Amino acid sequence: MYKDKIEEINEELKSVFTNIDKEQTLENIKVEYMGKNGKISTLNSMIREVPNEEKKEFGMAVNNLRNTFNELYSKIKEELENKEINEKLNNEAIDVTLPATYIPVGAAHPIERIIETLENLLMSMGYDVVEGPEVEKDLYNFELLNLPKGHPARDAQDTFYIKGEEYLLRSQTSPVQVREMLANKGERPIRIICPGKTYRRDEDDATHSHQFTQMEGLLVDKNITLGDLKGTFEEVAKKLFGSGRETRFRPSYYPFTEPSVEMDISCFNCNGKGCNICKGTGWITVGGAGMVNPIVLKNCGYDPNNWNGFAFGFGIERLAMLKYGINDIRVFYVNHDLKTLKQFNRREY
Ligand code: DAH
């Protein structure tokens, strides 16, 4: 009897939708009842057995069954979807009161900081950054810089030679000047800075290291004066050691410059009054410089009658020691742990 059948399915629907926790189960139920061979779909074929006067009632009963099924199905489907969304929200919720995860951040090495500061300043003044090889020819490191073999000034730079006397580990960054002048064939003005490693046969102690860092500067053009060099140095001094710094030149001697000077800044610690950092003088020497010696210009293919210029050299470790108050140069080459490096994040001017 179709009525029993309909009643039976109706009863089933009451319990079949309980305890469903997966979409897939729900879809299986749909196939079981509403699919092509599903329990509700196949009821239609029973209509032949139904007496004519009951056919209408039968049709309505089947329809009701469908509606009941669809209602239950939609309700459970919506519940499942809501459950899924809520789970997602719960799992992905961010508790803003939790302490942040510690993300270690690096810190630039003080040597690198000084180089970068100087590069940024001097590049803004039209200088290009140029590098040269650390294994250098004696010719470029000394000879063409007016330091012929046997020149007493060579003694100040006790040098690592490599296989005989022709090659060496550069004892200064000045050979990059030579390379740049030769490359420009005496034809073009030059404005370069050259940071890099240098080597000398020094015993390592608090102020000496067999490997250290320099930055060379070279400007070649026409009608350049010592005043241009002074102005450039003033900018460097202020950038590195603050706007209050005074600068001065003291006469000196380098074979590759004539005249040569030592570049001093007024002591940033005592403002010139005299303290232990400036050894009571009120002044601190931070580099060497001068007008490029005409002999060097000539050696490197520039006609000294048409061209002149200035050059300067800074010891980067010395600048970093002064700026960051470090009293042992060896600190730069060991102890690369973050705690040490991070101290230098402060103390910028
Ligand atoms: N090369 C020199 C040194 O190592 C530093 C220096 C002094 C470089 C004067 C220069 C300069 O370019 O003009 O002691």
Side-chain angles (χ1 to χ4, degrees), residues 157 171-172 174 177 200 214 216-217 254 256-257 288-290 311-313:
Q157 303 189 7
S171 59
Q172 48 186 356
S174 306
Q177 288 187 29
R200 289 186 198 176
Q214 286 191 338
E216 192 76 15
Y254 295 100
F256 28 86
T257 41
F312 55 84

Side-chain angles (χ1 to χ4, degrees), residues 228-255:
D228 297 317
L229 172 62
K230 185 93 186 315
T232 307
F233 174 50
E234 262 165 30
E235 294 300 320
V236 169
K238 289 184 174 139
K239 184 77 187 180
L240 282 178
F241 295 103
S243 56
R245 299 286 52 79
E246 302 277 323
T247 60
R248 77 172 185 190
F249 283 166
R250 265 183 312 116
S252 184
Y253 171 76
Y254 295 100

Side-chain angles (χ1 to χ4, degrees), residues 179-190:
R179 290 177 168 274
E180 193 66 18
M181 282 191 269
L182 290 175
N184 283 288
K185 300 188 167 71
E187 289 165 358
R188 281 179 292 273
I190 297 174

